[in-house]
Amino acid sequence: MMIKDREVVLNEIDTVLESGNLRPYVFRTRLERVLVRITALLEDNNKKAEVVSKCNDIRRKLNYISDKSNQTPDGTLNSYIFLKGEIESLKQMVK
């Protein structure tokens, strides 16, 4: 991944990590876009298979999460709470 592309992806990941109080559809859409962009921009390198695997794991988990009535009393999405660690781990892999 080129340096400029990496910076864009990292900024997008940060945006997703800050979007825990958004509507479920917005959070899900932002996360899916980041996952697609990461896999599209990866060059052949040692971490490619590992990063693609992590993206696929997050996608699978996202598919099984129901976003209906899925918020804590403070408005944070339960899906965000569930996936936050995975997203942070993915961010470290992309760095």
Side-chain angles (χ1 to χ4, degrees):
M1 192 179 308
M2 295 175 58
I3 294 173
K4 182 178 178 184
D5 293 335
R6 181 173 294 142
E7 290 174 12
V8 169
V9 167
L10 289 173
N11 286 335
E12 289 178 359
I13 292 172
D14 286 337
T15 300
V16 169
L17 286 170
E18 295 167 359
S19 62
N21 290 347
L22 294 177
R23 288 177 283 166
Y25 176 78
V26 176
F27 170 72
R28 182 182 195 102
T29 302
R30 285 184 181 174
L31 179 55
E32 287 173 340
R33 286 181 183 166
V34 168
L35 297 175
V36 168
R37 180 169 288 198
I38 289 171
T39 55
L41 293 176
L42 282 173
E43 297 172 352
D44 286 327
N45 61 25
N46 299 343
K47 294 190 334 185
K48 181 177 181 174
E50 188 179 348
V51 172
V52 169
S53 176
K54 177 61 98 176
C55 288
N56 290 336
D57 287 344
I58 292 172
R59 277 192 196 104
R60 272 192 297 279
K61 290 177 183 177
L62 193 58
N63 286 335
Y64 290 105
I65 294 173
S66 171
D67 287 324
K68 297 176 185 168
S69 301
N70 195 18
Q71 292 181 324
T72 62
D74 70 348
T76 304
L77 293 172
N78 285 329
S79 55
Y80 168 80
I81 294 169
F82 182 72
L83 293 171
K84 184 178 179 186
E86 298 280 331
I87 298 166
E88 289 172 342
S89 173
L90 178 62
K91 181 180 175 182
Q92 293 303 316
M93 294 170 81
V94 171
K95 280 188 176 180

